[in-house]
């Protein structure tokens, strides 16, 4: 295979094409529009590289997804679709795979207004275990971190590459048994209801006890104040001359 | 003397009025509790499984307490007008028993409302929604209830779609994260029940998925229930307290 660094192997390619052009662009996670599923447990979403590879109209543009610590060992000449870059062997022993190839036509420049143009890495679940599809865009096997870059290949010659992205961490899911459902304590309303009602009930019970204990005794002081409507017993000495002195009647 | 006659009549009038109000409130309480027991909000399967047991216990007690209040208020009116010590004593004792039951119902409803935290529903949803081997009918009920809840309220999860990402779940065991970051019911659906834009929903593009959590919808309805039973019952009991005190005072003044 052709050497990665300017080689001693004789080749027909011109020497300055052996190393791919290094573009200053670096892939980023999509910031606009804000996506709820920007990173999930096994996928993430990148902006499409519009207006980056304009000088390489004949190239196929591939996405390289690598483990964070494998970026320095990745060889641009590694061919896509080979066992060294097959998705199905990722992350072990393959430390970086290549997927999502397309031509420049799919990344038009300028970016069309109004369209949401993103690349969802990890969306193809049907070929995740299909070794006949080594360039499958399958779901990522772990939370990462991962770093990605775009690589333009003409035939099998790398002609341009972007910089590696910052490390991308995916989400890790916790177990639901870690959710604590113990109450946050009793709120004020419940305490108020309980207290007030208990007090009221206690007062009523006290009143009932007082009633029963003093049954029959005139504890309200003196003669009863209420008479039954139909009773004719004259307990109150109603006289016509209410202004008479009481002593005069005796 | 005329003055004390007036006092008597005023007190009698007040007690009769108080009992009329109690009677009407009793009917209202019964009607309200029957309404809640008949589960109009469709959330009963979720609430049934909470640790505090049957939320309907408070409502059932409320039904019978309401009827008892109505019956006792009639007894009270008759007792006050006839100024009969026996009737009024019976009335007071039975009212106290009813008071105690209603007190229990109010406190149960208030405590239960307390325990319905988002964490409770979250745990229940994660462990049982779309469980692949449903252990019992209640798992199916919970799935159906959640599906309807998310469909009708345009919401997803308890706090949001990220519930499905932050935690593993029974749903996650059978549905891969790449294909189903969250259940399909969280997508904006068209008239046929299919997602308007499946990719948009999976990505989480605003407009193609429901970004709100369902907790507000749940707690709104449950709080209405609790407010109805707990606080209305509390108000009735305060009023009953005053009427009972007045009746006790009236009773002690009746000659025998």
């Amino acid at each position: 295979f052709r050497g990665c660094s300017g080689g001693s192997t004789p080749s027909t390619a011109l020497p300055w094409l052996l190393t791919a052009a290094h573009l200053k662009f670096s892939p980023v996670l999509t910031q606009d529009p804000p996506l709820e599923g920007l990173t999930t447990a096994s996928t993430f979403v990148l902006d499409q590289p519009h207006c980056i590879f304009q000088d390489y109209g004949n190239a196929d543009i591939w996405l390289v997804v690598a483990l964070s610590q494998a970026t320095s060992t990745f060889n641009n000449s590694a061919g896509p679709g080979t066992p060294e870059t097959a998705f199905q062997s990722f992350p072990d022993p393959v430390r970086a795979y290549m997927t999502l190839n397309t031509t420049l036509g799919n990344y038009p420049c300028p970016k069309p207004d109004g369209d949401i143009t993103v690349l969802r890495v990890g969306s193809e679940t049907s070929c995740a275990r299909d070794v006949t599809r080594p360039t499958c865009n399958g779901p990522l096997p772990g939370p990462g971190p991962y770093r990605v870059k775009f690589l333009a290949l003409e035939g099998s010659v790398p002609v341009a590459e972007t910089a590696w992205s910052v490390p991308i961490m995916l989400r890790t899911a916790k177990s639901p048994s870690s959710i604590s459902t113990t109450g946050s304590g009793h709120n004020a309303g419940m305490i108020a209801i309980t207290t007030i009602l208990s007090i009221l009930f206690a007062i009523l019970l006290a009143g009932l006890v007082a009633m029963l204990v003093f049954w029959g005794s005139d504890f309200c002081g003196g003669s009863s104040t209420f008479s039954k409507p139909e009773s004719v017993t004259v307990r109150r000495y109603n006289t016509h001359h209410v202004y008479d002195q009481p002593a005069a009647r005796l | 003397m005329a003055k004390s006659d007036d006092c008597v009549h005023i007190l009698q009038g007040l007690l009769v009025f108080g009992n009329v109000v109690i009677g009407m409130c009793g009917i209202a309480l019964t009607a309200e509790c029957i309404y809640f027991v008949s589960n109009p909000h469709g959330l009963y399967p979720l609430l049934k499984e909470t640790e505090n047991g049957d939320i309907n216990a408070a409502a059932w007690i409320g039904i019978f307490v309401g009827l008892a209040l109505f019956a006792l208020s009639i007894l009270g009116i008759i007792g006050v007008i006839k100024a009969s010590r026996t009737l009024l004593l019976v009335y007071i004792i039975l009212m106290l028993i009813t008071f105690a039951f209603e007190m229990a119902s109010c406190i149960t409803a208030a405590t239960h409302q307390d325990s319905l935290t988002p964490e409770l529903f979250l745990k229940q949803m994660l462990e049982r929604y779309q469980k692949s081997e449903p252990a019992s009918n209640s798992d199916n009920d919970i799935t159906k209830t959640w599906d309807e809840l998310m469909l009708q309220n345009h919401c997803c999860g308890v706090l949001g779609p990220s519930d499905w990402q932050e935690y593993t779940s029974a749903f996650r065991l059978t549905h891969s994260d790449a294909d189903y970051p969250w259940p399909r019911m969280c997508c904006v659906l068209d008239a046929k029940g299919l997602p308007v834009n499946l990719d948009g929903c999976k990505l989480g593009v605003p407009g193609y998925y429901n970004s709100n959590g369902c907790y507000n919808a749940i707690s709104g309805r449950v709080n209405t229930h609790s407010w109805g039973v707990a606080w209305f019952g509390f108000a009735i009991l305060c009023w009953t307290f005053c009427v009972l005190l007045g009746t006790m005072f009236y009773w002690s003044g009746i000659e025998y």
Side-chain angles (χ1 to χ4, degrees):
Chain A
F1 53 90
R2 294 201 188 88
C4 292
S5 47
S8 46
T9 320
S11 75
T12 52
L14 294 170
W16 59 84
L17 282 185
L18 281 177
T19 48
H22 190 90
L23 304 171
K24 283 213 167 49
F25 171 80
S26 157
V28 289
L29 294 174
T30 305
Q31 301 300 321
D32 179 50
L35 297 176
E36 180 82 34
L38 186 66
T39 55
T40 70
S42 58
T43 67
F44 58 94
V45 183
L46 296 172
D47 268 335
Q48 289 182 359
H50 295 281
C51 307
I52 304 296
F53 292 100
Q54 292 312 105
D55 298 333
Y56 306 95
N58 289 333
D60 284 332
I61 302 172
W62 291 83
L63 179 72
V64 182
V65 180
L67 297 173
S68 228
Q69 55 270 39
T71 52
S72 47
T73 57
F74 178 72
N75 186 337
N76 275 346
S77 301
T82 62
E84 287 81 25
T85 56
F87 167 77
Q88 286 76 16
S89 310
F90 182 79
D92 180 53
V94 169
R95 314 279 305 281
Y97 66 97
M98 299 172 73
T99 182
L100 275 177
N101 75 313
T102 180
T103 56
L104 189 60
N106 282 327
Y107 300 144
C109 186
K111 173 169 125 45
D113 266 342
D115 280 355
I116 297 177
T117 52
V118 295
L119 292 176
R120 186 162 184 246
V121 179
S123 61
E124 280 189 85
T125 48
S126 52
C127 55
R129 299 210 198 291
D130 184 358
V131 290
T132 61
R133 295 264 331 263
T135 57
C136 179
N137 180 19
L140 294 159
Y146 302 101
R147 296 180 78 172
V148 298
K149 73 172 181 181
F150 290 102
L151 186 60
L153 297 178
E154 273 180 15
S156 44
V157 177
V159 295
E161 63 172 357
T162 66
W164 286 102
S165 67
V166 294
I168 298 171
M169 276 297 290
L170 299 183
R171 299 209 211 187
T172 319
K174 302 187 280 250
S175 161
S177 45
S178 64
I179 305 174
S180 96
T181 53
T182 53
S184 56
H186 303 295
N187 72 359
M190 193 222 103
I191 295 179
I193 286 187
T194 313
T195 320
I196 295 178
L197 287 183
S198 311
I199 294 176
L200 295 186
F201 191 60
I203 296 176
L204 287 178
L205 277 183
L208 178 70
V209 165
M211 267 171 50
L212 295 177
V213 161
F214 292 109
W215 183 313
S217 72
D218 298 329
F219 75 95
C220 251
S223 48
S224 353
T225 32
F226 316 128
S227 63
K228 294 185 175 187
E230 65 267 31
S231 121
V232 196
T233 5
V234 182
R235 191 119 174 232
R236 288 188 228 118
Y237 295 99
N238 287 332
T239 67
H240 295 293
H241 310 290
V242 296
Y243 41 81
D244 277 353
Q245 297 298 322
R249 276 185 270 142
L250 292 171
Chain B
M1 294 170 49
K3 189 162 185 264
S4 68
D5 262 349
D6 280 345
C7 279
V8 173
H9 286 128
I10 290 174
L11 187 58
Q12 276 183 330
L14 284 177
L15 288 179
V16 167
F17 171 70
N19 279 301
V20 165
V21 170
I22 290 180
M24 293 195 307
C25 288
I27 299 282
L29 186 67
T30 303
E32 184 194 33
C33 290
I34 289 180
Y35 175 69
F36 284 132
V37 164
S38 65
N39 185 35
H41 49 61
L43 291 178
Y44 185 61
L46 298 185
L47 302 172
K48 192 170 61 148
E49 302 296 323
T50 59
E51 286 152 10
N52 276 352
D54 204 348
I55 190 179
N56 277 349
W60 278 107
I61 296 179
I63 292 178
F64 294 114
V65 162
L67 291 175
L69 283 178
F70 177 68
L72 285 178
S73 71
I74 295 181
L75 177 69
I77 292 175
I78 297 175
V80 163
I81 292 181
K82 280 198 168 166
S84 149
R85 274 203 156 191
T86 332
L87 275 184
L88 284 182
L89 187 63
V90 168
Y91 166 80
I92 288 175
I93 292 179
L94 289 181
M95 266 298 213
L96 279 179
I97 296 176
T98 313
F99 191 99
F101 272 103
E102 179 61 17
M103 207 169 94
S105 162
C106 283
I107 295 177
T108 308
T111 313
H112 196 280
Q113 177 188 9
D114 243 357
S115 73
L116 296 178
T117 53
E119 286 78 28
L120 188 74
F121 289 114
L122 183 62
K123 191 161 181 176
Q124 186 192 64
M125 178 185 81
L126 292 171
E127 287 175 352
R128 302 174 73 169
Y129 176 75
Q130 297 237 13
K131 200 159 160 189
S132 50
E133 290 117 41
S136 61
N137 265 347
S138 58
D139 288 341
N140 284 336
D141 286 338
I142 287 184
T143 303
K144 269 194 289 208
T145 306
W146 269 106
D147 282 340
E148 256 200 50
L149 194 63
M150 295 198 279
L151 184 66
Q152 283 173 357
N153 294 294
H154 306 294
C155 59
C156 183
V158 174
L159 302 169
S162 52
D163 289 344
W164 302 103
Q165 288 295 315
E166 279 179 48
Y167 297 96
T168 59
S169 52
F171 173 76
R172 183 60 64 226
L173 291 177
T174 45
H175 297 78
S176 73
D177 171 79
D179 280 333
Y180 295 89
W182 32 77
R184 286 284 181 265
M185 285 315 223
C186 293
C187 300
V188 173
L189 301 176
D190 61 15
K192 294 203 202 88
L194 298 171
V196 167
N197 185 329
L198 186 58
D199 285 326
C201 178
K202 287 200 241 177
L203 283 173
V205 179
Y208 295 110
Y209 76 109
N210 301 325
S211 50
N212 300 326
C214 296
Y215 180 66
N216 283 341
I218 298 175
S219 73
R221 295 180 190 170
V222 170
N223 279 349
T224 318
H225 179 140
S226 300
W227 271 82
V229 177
W231 288 99
F232 185 47
F234 178 72
I236 292 178
L237 286 183
C238 288
W239 179 266
T240 309
F241 171 76
C242 299
V243 171
L244 277 180
L245 272 188
T247 312
M248 286 182 188
F249 180 65
Y250 179 74
W251 184 91
S252 67
I254 298 177
E255 56 178 56
Y256 49 89

